[in-house]
Amino acid sequence: MIPIPIPEFKVMNSKKLLKQDKLASVANLLDGKLVKSSDIVAVLEKVIRPNETVAIEGDNQKQAVDLAKALVQVDPAKVNGLRMVMSCVQMPEHLDIFEKGIAKELNCCYIGGQSARLPQMIDAGTVKLGAIHTYLEMFSRMFTDLIPNVCLCVAEAADRNGNLYTGPNTEETPTIIEATACKDGIVIVQVNEIMDELPRIDIQGEWVDIVMKSDEPCYIDPLMTRDPAKITNLHILQAMMIIKGVYARHHIDRMNHGIGYVSAALELLLPTYGEELGLKGKICKNWVANPIPAMIPAIECGWAESCVAFGSEVGMQEYVKARSDIFFTGVDGLLRSNRCYAQMAGLYGCDMFTGSTLQMDYYGNSSTVTKSRITGYGGAPNMGSNPNGRRHTSEAWCSMVTDHTDVMAHGRKLVTQIVRTQTLNKKTGEMRDCIVPQLDAVETAKKAGLPEPLVMIHGDDVTHLVTEVGLAYLYMANNKEERKELIAAVAGNSALGQTMSDKRRAELRNEGKIMFPEDLGIDPATATRDRLSAQTLEDIVEWSHGLYTIPDKFLEK
Amino acid sequence: MIPIPIPEFKVMNSKKLLKQDKLASVANLLDGKLVKSSDIVAVLEKVIRPNETVAIEGDNQKQAVDLAKALVQVDPAKVNGLRMVMSCVQMPEHLDIFEKGIAKELNCCYIGGQSARLPQMIDAGTVKLGAIHTYLEMFSRMFTDLIPNVCLCVAEAADRNGNLYTGPNTEETPTIIEATACKDGIVIVQVNEIMDELPRIDIQGEWVDIVMKSDEPCYIDPLMTRDPAKITNLHILQAMMIIKGVYARHHIDRMNHGIGYVSAALELLLPTYGEELGLKGKICKNWVANPIPAMIPAIECGWAESCVAFGSEVGMQEYVKARSDIFFTGVDGLLRSNRCYAQMAGLYGCDMFTGSTLQMDYYGNSSTVTKSRITGYGGAPNMGSNPNGRRHTSEAWCSMVTDHTDVMAHGRKLVTQIVRTQTLNKKTGEMRDCIVPQLDAVETAKKAGLPEPLVMIHGDDVTHLVTEVGLAYLYMANNKEERKELIAAVAGNSALGQTMSDKRRAELRNEGKIMFPEDLGIDPATATRDRLSAQTLEDIVEWSHGLYTIPDKFLEK
């Protein structure tokens, strides 16, 4: 009955055998699972084979710094052609490996410090760009077609059995390690400390093959902190428009904010302006966000019910520990973060994403990519997209339905984008449009040989647009051309703004599709810094009852 | 400078303190972390407070059977008004808790055995339906607004420290436990066995509070197995159309299949028909799927490179162990599954989802909900939706672009739906349309008081439709009305099919928007069972070199 010959039995555990071979070949360099930092280059040369897929952990917070530096030192005659999978391209070493031929293909999510250098290296053919992803998408590929043969990760401490303690910055370590360990890859982790007993276990030791105590403790940048002192009246006006025109109107209780001064202003306005509007208990209850200092006054005033975090933030450790009702914590009382779960919650568990962009086109597409810089996206495409698979409803979700005659109509996620209509070009002293006919990302992608433009958030996913001029309810647009009109109506003095007639603007305003501050009952003259519940980081320390510590970086100014 | 008074310092660790209190109150019933099954009801009465959120683990595979049965026995005067979060409503006890007033609100993903009873209980007001989700969405809410106060989970074994061994069915246990444990909820796990040393650790013990050895080992149903003996020539014809008209045409290498006879046929045709077409190495390389017996011939012939699984399948244990090059496994060599990561990979890491539906409307919306049954969706809405946040391209993805003049055009995920145009109504002996003007799910949702119809997959997410008549390339439709025409053109003798004129059908065929088997070079007369690489489960055992074991359920027939 079997129509073709069945192939002879063959072993299909070659990856397991290869792993055993690799580990046996470095046994003389290991003490149990421990390796000295002076031996790590030799170990990498033996456990990484040419053309393998290698993950380096690192994002906008913690970085496997010492392992990244070690990888650059391997002999390219031994280790070459690697396919890299890495959330962030931040350190020079992350690109140096391409210059030396150690690595060939780059798959990443975000380009930090190296955003100007990367396009040149793509141009020169030194880097073959696999793809730039949103985090959850790259994690997904670690389980399908980008499964790491070796991963280079970072944790706070390990015991001799390889159990890992990540401290508050658990982030993406469990995800990378599960994808690698369970497909017989080699898991190498740098830690600040080897301990006999860990304060808690974040990842079980049997998934970890090699542990290295790094020479320097892993540096974590307080990247999410915004100093309230730098919040301007314009940020405050925009935040007031969002609170009243979006949060209150659509009853947003589960949400994620991007990091920026408008978001910080919004958080600091909840205990003052939000309270004035009687919104406590109605909006901003369930947060998907890192614990950031600007949240403290709202938490102390009882606004937040929960907060699930991608990672931690420097200085917030003791505060989080004293507020475990709000934050996810481990048995040691410190934050347990999880980038994968928080991104997932940001996609499916939130009613709204609020973010900023540097450039937007006439149809609402936006990107942070410019002609000379490829920056990538991080989590924005994921959290700033409509989850077509979502099936639970909420007041906010349902408020996006505009055609109530359609029985098949369904809600959608709210995506609010903040953009300046123009910014000052510091070189020429002239104003430059931020709302442009075509995103720079279109040309940049073409030059990099990519089949699609490098868009951060698609225009048809954006439901609300906030400029310094007003608020456009893009979800109300009947079609793409009307969406362009709504954008134009709040595009100020930009070229697009100038195409809008006063008459048409008045019509759109009458239809409630755009609103200016006065339509929302906001007098711009009252959008001032004295509304902020904290005007300095020192104020936030006071709000935290001394539990928040200002990071050194902000003291040095 | 601080505009409002800062509230006095207060402790915000009440959940941690409550957890300590709860555990102290049952200390006399525990031996370390262990509880006897005879004491579990008393324990539940003390650790669950009225109106709390409780998760019961259970899906279409493993079920926390004993804990679900224990929950029904608590005194409703002590434990009541619970908000339930549970992937599956399968056991009578899952609804009995509502009849007894122990539970009030139901949040779930899938309704198995109780799909006829649930609508009646919603009608009667006994169950307040929170929402029916897709899995990833419900997991997301476990980290935002449905954080469990208590979870009742299931594993294969535990040690006395609470470390858990799940065996091949890890599934959603780590996700539920992380959400509960890290927000100071109580984690209770039933296990088949208490062991001194576990074969591997799937979840670290410090997240687990209470372990109960269940009286009966947890039963796992071989729900994913399709007996090749039941595959018909029609299934084979549809599978051939999909292989040639979709997989080969769009170069689908990363994909997920729903479970059904067409999918099983497709898998069993790869080594024969797929080989004939020269497709090996070009399609079906990276799988997001449970290890199912129908995959074995393709794996033995070298089609698959990797497979990440939601859960396991009975009888596949030894086969998986011998094929760890393909499957994710733990240190014991057995499968490591993960429902959350596999669903994530199904969303963002695949180019195509193929699934079946029982009913489809004229615009391609589909649902498995009928007038008398609420079945829920499981993973289909997630995997059968276009991920708007995806940014990496592939040949398949880019092949969905139809307007090549638009610089902002971007690809999309392929979603293939299989539907019969009509089925036999066994009661009346008449043929009944499966393609209908309005889904039953619309009325069912209205009756249940839900604001949106219970749609499994939205019509605008479906790119390909396969009926027994032909294949419609829905992604080529210029608008919604043309989508309806394409559906009509392959809708056979159904009412919609009869609205299609021969002339218009011929036009659509000329434009390549629909194809019949002959257009694909397939002679329906050759779509016969002798093409199947295995025609019985016994054949599959032979393919597996004796490693696959036929589950008892299939031997009893």
Side-chain angles (χ1 to χ4, degrees):
Chain A
M1 291 286 275
I2 295 178
I4 55 167
I6 298 178
E8 275 183 31
F9 179 80
K10 59 173 181 263
V11 176
M12 289 197 216
N13 291 326
S14 64
K15 287 179 185 147
K16 226 173 254 301
L17 299 173
L18 176 62
K19 177 170 180 166
Q20 284 167 15
D21 282 355
K22 284 179 172 184
L23 289 177
S25 75
V26 295
N28 63 321
L29 298 170
L30 300 183
D31 165 20
K33 293 191 172 184
L34 306 187
V35 64
K36 286 192 206 124
S37 60
S38 53
D39 288 332
I40 188 67
V41 174
V43 166
L44 294 182
E45 286 178 347
K46 282 172 185 284
V47 300
I48 308 178
R49 302 281 160 94
N51 305 316
E52 284 191 337
T53 301
V54 175
I56 304 185
E57 183 172 11
D59 48 48
N60 41 27
Q61 297 185 302
K62 70 178 178 176
Q63 294 281 350
V65 170
D66 284 27
L67 291 174
K69 287 184 178 173
L71 186 59
V72 185
Q73 294 169 53
V74 300
D75 179 354
K78 295 180 185 161
V79 180
N80 50 61
L82 301 182
R83 185 166 66 155
M84 303 305 300
V85 187
M86 43 209 291
S87 281
C88 192
V89 179
Q90 179 71 26
M91 300 163 53
E93 287 82 356
H94 289 161
L95 290 184
D96 293 347
I97 50 173
F98 292 88
E99 266 169 6
K100 295 183 82 172
I102 297 163
K104 196 166 90 184
E105 182 185 310
L106 173 65
N107 296 279
C108 65
C109 298
Y110 190 81
I111 299 105
Q114 307 299 311
S115 60
R117 188 175 163 208
L118 179 61
Q120 297 164 8
M121 290 178 71
I122 295 172
D123 260 0
T126 318
V127 170
K128 179 178 172 248
L129 189 58
I132 305 178
H133 307 78
T134 190
Y135 294 118
L136 213 53
E137 174 188 8
M138 203 181 73
F139 302 153
S140 296
R141 295 190 69 193
M142 288 192 191
F143 290 91
T144 50
D145 64 333
L146 290 177
I147 302 170
N149 298 103
V150 177
C151 71
L152 309 176
C153 291
V154 53
E156 177 61 32
D159 64 20
R160 294 187 65 88
N161 295 319
N163 291 300
L164 299 182
Y165 171 57
T166 59
N169 289 83
T170 308
E171 306 189 16
E172 63 201 29
T173 321
T175 311
I176 300 174
I177 289 184
E178 182 162 342
T180 309
C182 296
K183 205 70 193 338
D184 296 313
I186 307 260
V187 176
I188 306 177
V189 185
Q190 71 167 68
V191 297
N192 296 337
E193 211 176 333
I194 309 289
M195 299 174 86
D196 288 331
E197 191 141 354
L198 299 174
R200 73 183 198 213
I201 295 176
D202 288 287
I203 292 146
Q204 56 266 44
E206 65 185 38
W207 283 354
V208 177
D209 301 300
I210 297 172
V211 173
M212 177 187 83
K213 183 180 174 318
S214 50
D215 296 330
E216 297 279 324
C218 154
Y219 172 74
I220 296 181
D221 198 19
L223 228 124
M224 310 289 153
T225 299
R226 294 289 173 272
D227 186 344
K230 293 189 177 169
I231 295 174
T232 65
N233 290 352
L234 180 56
H235 296 137
I236 292 165
L237 176 64
Q238 291 185 309
M240 288 170 75
M241 286 197 277
I242 296 173
I243 290 177
K244 196 154 178 197
V246 188
Y247 280 75
R249 175 178 170 137
H250 299 289
H251 298 174
I252 304 296
D253 46 12
R254 297 175 293 153
M255 81 300 167
N256 165 265
H257 291 167
I259 300 300
Y261 287 104
V262 178
S263 307
L266 200 157
E267 286 146 14
L268 293 171
L269 286 172
L270 291 176
T272 55
Y273 184 60
E275 185 72 44
E276 239 178 85
L277 298 175
L279 296 172
K280 190 155 80 182
K282 294 182 185 157
I283 68 167
C284 297
K285 281 155 55 177
N286 305 109
W287 299 56
V288 176
N290 281 15
I292 43 172
M295 292 169 64
I296 291 177
I299 291 174
E300 293 302 304
C301 293
W303 284 72
E305 280 177 8
S306 70
C307 178
V308 58
F310 313 94
S312 189
E313 181 63 359
V314 179
M316 289 292 287
Q317 201 147 315
E318 291 305 311
Y319 181 77
V320 167
K321 200 170 176 177
R323 267 72 188 117
S324 62
D325 283 355
I326 311 298
F327 297 99
F328 287 76
T329 57
V331 294
D332 60 344
L334 296 182
L335 186 75
R336 163 81 181 191
S337 60
N338 189 316
R339 188 169 303 282
C340 181
Y341 288 158
Q343 286 288 337
M344 176 181 85
L347 177 67
Y348 273 130
C350 281
D351 281 331
M352 175 154 130
F353 169 76
T354 304
S356 305
T357 184
L358 299 176
Q359 203 178 55
M360 178 174 273
D361 75 11
Y362 290 180
Y363 295 98
N365 298 293
S366 60
S367 190
T368 48
V369 170
T370 62
K371 279 185 184 142
S372 54
R373 284 179 192 273
I374 296 184
T375 49
Y377 326 108
N382 174 59
M383 294 189 292
S385 66
N386 188 43
N388 293 343
R390 172 170 158 175
R391 293 294 176 268
H392 76 281
T393 56
S394 65
E395 213 181 325
W397 177 265
C398 293
S399 73
M400 292 295 98
V401 173
T402 50
D403 179 1
H404 294 281
T405 63
D406 179 3
V407 291
M408 297 305 291
H410 50 86
R412 59 191 286 204
K413 184 177 186 174
L414 286 83
V415 174
T416 299
Q417 283 273 279
I418 303 161
V419 72
R420 295 285 293 268
T421 62
Q422 297 186 305
T423 48
L424 185 70
N425 185 331
K426 282 175 191 160
K427 275 187 204 160
T428 65
E430 288 175 354
M431 294 303 279
R432 180 169 49 181
D433 285 359
C434 303
I435 302 182
V436 296
Q438 179 173 295
L439 294 178
D440 290 348
V442 173
E443 279 308 311
T444 310
K446 267 192 205 155
K447 275 205 325 213
L450 299 172
E452 290 185 3
L454 292 158
V455 173
M456 179 173 69
I457 296 185
H458 293 305
D460 44 15
D461 276 331
V462 182
T463 57
H464 295 74
L465 171 64
V466 181
T467 67
E468 65 274 31
V469 177
L471 176 49
Y473 293 94
L474 301 188
Y475 74 94
M476 290 186 172
N478 288 318
N479 51 51
K480 210 176 141 184
E481 291 310 313
E482 194 178 71
R483 192 199 310 155
K484 183 177 165 186
E485 285 190 304
L486 297 184
I487 297 172
V490 296
N493 290 324
S494 68
L496 180 66
Q498 291 178 22
T499 64
M500 177 54 41
S501 69
D502 290 345
K503 180 166 168 284
R504 185 66 186 135
R505 187 182 282 111
E507 278 171 16
L508 294 171
R509 199 173 166 185
N510 276 337
E511 291 173 33
K513 291 181 176 175
I514 56 162
M515 290 213 187
F516 296 115
E518 53 269 39
D519 302 325
L520 291 162
I522 298 168
D523 175 0
T526 70
T528 51
R529 282 184 45 83
D530 55 352
R531 284 194 182 266
L532 295 176
S533 55
Q535 284 149 32
T536 61
L537 286 173
E538 287 74 14
D539 286 354
I540 292 181
V541 174
E542 210 176 319
W543 272 103
S544 79
H545 303 283
L547 293 165
Y548 171 59
T549 310
I550 302 174
D552 291 345
K553 187 177 162 175
F554 290 88
L555 294 173
E556 285 161 6
K557 60 194 170 181
Chain B
M1 291 283 278
I2 296 178
I4 53 168
I6 297 176
E8 273 183 32
F9 179 81
K10 60 173 180 262
V11 175
M12 288 196 215
N13 291 327
S14 64
K15 287 178 185 146
K16 224 172 254 302
L17 298 173
L18 176 63
K19 177 170 181 169
Q20 285 167 14
D21 282 354
K22 285 179 173 184
L23 289 177
S25 75
V26 295
N28 61 323
L29 299 169
L30 301 183
D31 165 20
K33 294 190 173 186
L34 306 187
V35 65
K36 286 190 206 127
S37 60
S38 53
D39 288 332
I40 189 68
V41 175
V43 166
L44 294 182
E45 286 178 347
K46 283 174 184 283
V47 300
I48 307 179
R49 302 283 160 95
N51 305 315
E52 283 191 337
T53 301
V54 175
I56 303 186
E57 184 172 10
D59 49 49
N60 41 27
Q61 297 186 298
K62 69 177 177 175
Q63 295 280 351
V65 170
D66 285 27
L67 290 175
K69 287 183 177 173
L71 187 60
V72 184
Q73 295 170 51
V74 300
D75 179 354
K78 293 180 184 161
V79 179
N80 51 60
L82 301 181
R83 185 166 67 157
M84 303 304 300
V85 187
M86 42 209 293
S87 281
C88 192
V89 180
Q90 179 71 26
M91 301 164 52
E93 289 82 357
H94 289 161
L95 290 184
D96 294 347
I97 48 173
F98 291 89
E99 267 168 6
K100 296 183 80 171
I102 297 163
K104 195 166 92 184
E105 182 184 309
L106 173 64
N107 296 280
C108 66
C109 299
Y110 189 81
I111 299 104
Q114 307 299 310
S115 59
R117 187 175 164 209
L118 179 61
Q120 297 164 10
M121 290 179 68
I122 294 172
D123 261 359
T126 319
V127 170
K128 179 177 174 250
L129 188 59
I132 306 179
H133 308 78
T134 190
Y135 295 119
L136 213 53
E137 175 188 6
M138 204 181 73
F139 302 153
S140 295
R141 295 189 68 192
M142 289 194 191
F143 289 92
T144 50
D145 62 334
L146 290 177
I147 302 169
N149 298 104
V150 177
C151 71
L152 309 177
C153 291
V154 52
E156 178 60 34
D159 64 20
R160 294 187 65 88
N161 295 320
N163 290 301
L164 299 181
Y165 171 57
T166 60
N169 289 83
T170 308
E171 306 189 17
E172 63 202 28
T173 321
T175 311
I176 299 174
I177 290 185
E178 181 162 342
T180 309
C182 298
K183 204 71 193 334
D184 295 313
I186 307 260
V187 176
I188 306 178
V189 185
Q190 71 168 69
V191 297
N192 296 337
E193 211 176 335
I194 308 287
M195 300 174 86
D196 288 331
E197 190 141 353
L198 299 173
R200 74 183 197 210
I201 295 176
D202 287 287
I203 293 147
Q204 57 267 42
E206 65 183 38
W207 283 353
V208 177
D209 301 299
I210 298 172
V211 173
M212 178 187 82
K213 183 181 173 318
S214 50
D215 296 331
E216 298 279 325
C218 153
Y219 171 74
I220 296 181
D221 197 20
L223 228 125
M224 310 289 152
T225 298
R226 293 290 172 273
D227 186 344
K230 294 189 177 169
I231 294 174
T232 65
N233 290 351
L234 181 55
H235 296 136
I236 293 166
L237 177 63
Q238 291 185 308
M240 288 170 75
M241 285 197 278
I242 296 173
I243 290 176
K244 196 156 177 195
V246 188
Y247 280 75
R249 176 179 168 136
H250 299 290
H251 298 172
I252 304 296
D253 46 12
R254 295 175 294 154
M255 82 297 169
N256 163 265
H257 290 170
I259 299 300
Y261 287 105
V262 178
S263 307
L266 200 157
E267 286 146 15
L268 293 170
L269 286 172
L270 291 176
T272 55
Y273 184 60
E275 185 72 42
E276 241 177 83
L277 298 176
L279 296 173
K280 189 155 80 180
K282 293 180 186 159
I283 67 166
C284 297
K285 283 157 50 178
N286 305 107
W287 300 54
V288 176
N290 281 16
I292 44 174
M295 292 169 64
I296 291 177
I299 291 174
E300 293 302 303
C301 292
W303 285 73
E305 280 177 8
S306 69
C307 177
V308 59
F310 312 95
S312 189
E313 180 63 357
V314 179
M316 289 292 286
Q317 201 147 316
E318 290 305 312
Y319 181 76
V320 167
K321 199 169 175 178
R323 267 81 186 106
S324 62
D325 283 356
I326 312 297
F327 297 99
F328 287 76
T329 56
V331 294
D332 61 345
L334 297 181
L335 186 74
R336 162 83 182 189
S337 60
N338 189 315
R339 189 170 303 281
C340 181
Y341 288 159
Q343 286 288 339
M344 174 181 85
L347 176 68
Y348 273 130
C350 281
D351 281 331
M352 176 153 128
F353 168 77
T354 304
S356 305
T357 185
L358 300 176
Q359 204 178 53
M360 179 174 273
D361 76 11
Y362 291 178
Y363 295 99
N365 298 294
S366 60
S367 190
T368 49
V369 170
T370 63
K371 279 182 185 145
S372 55
R373 284 180 192 273
I374 295 184
T375 49
Y377 328 106
N382 174 58
M383 295 190 291
S385 66
N386 187 43
N388 293 342
R390 172 171 158 175
R391 293 294 176 269
H392 76 281
T393 57
S394 66
E395 213 180 324
W397 176 265
C398 292
S399 73
M400 292 295 98
V401 173
T402 50
D403 179 1
H404 293 280
T405 62
D406 178 4
V407 292
M408 296 305 290
H410 50 87
R412 59 191 285 202
K413 185 177 186 174
L414 286 83
V415 174
T416 298
Q417 283 274 278
I418 302 161
V419 73
R420 295 286 292 269
T421 62
Q422 297 186 304
T423 49
L424 185 70
N425 184 333
K426 283 174 190 162
K427 278 187 202 158
T428 65
E430 288 176 352
M431 294 303 281
R432 180 168 50 179
D433 285 359
C434 303
I435 301 182
V436 296
Q438 180 175 292
L439 294 178
D440 290 349
V442 173
E443 279 308 312
T444 309
K446 266 191 206 155
K447 275 206 322 214
L450 299 173
E452 289 185 4
L454 291 158
V455 174
M456 180 172 68
I457 296 186
H458 292 304
D460 45 13
D461 275 331
V462 181
T463 57
H464 296 74
L465 170 65
V466 181
T467 67
E468 64 275 31
V469 178
L471 177 49
Y473 294 93
L474 301 187
Y475 73 93
M476 289 185 174
N478 287 318
N479 52 51
K480 208 176 143 186
E481 291 310 315
E482 195 178 70
R483 192 198 311 154
K484 183 178 166 186
E485 286 191 302
L486 297 184
I487 297 172
V490 296
N493 290 324
S494 67
L496 179 67
Q498 291 177 23
T499 64
M500 177 54 38
S501 69
D502 289 345
K503 179 167 168 282
R504 183 66 185 136
R505 187 182 281 110
E507 279 170 16
L508 294 171
R509 199 172 167 186
N510 276 337
E511 291 173 34
K513 293 182 175 176
I514 57 162
M515 289 212 187
F516 297 115
E518 54 269 38
D519 302 326
L520 290 162
I522 298 169
D523 175 1
T526 70
T528 51
R529 284 185 43 82
D530 55 351
R531 285 193 182 266
L532 294 176
S533 55
Q535 284 149 32
T536 61
L537 286 173
E538 287 74 14
D539 286 356
I540 292 182
V541 174
E542 211 176 319
W543 273 102
S544 78
H545 304 282
L547 293 165
Y548 170 59
T549 311
I550 302 175
D552 291 347
K553 185 176 163 177
F554 290 89
L555 294 174
E556 286 159 7
K557 58 190 170 182

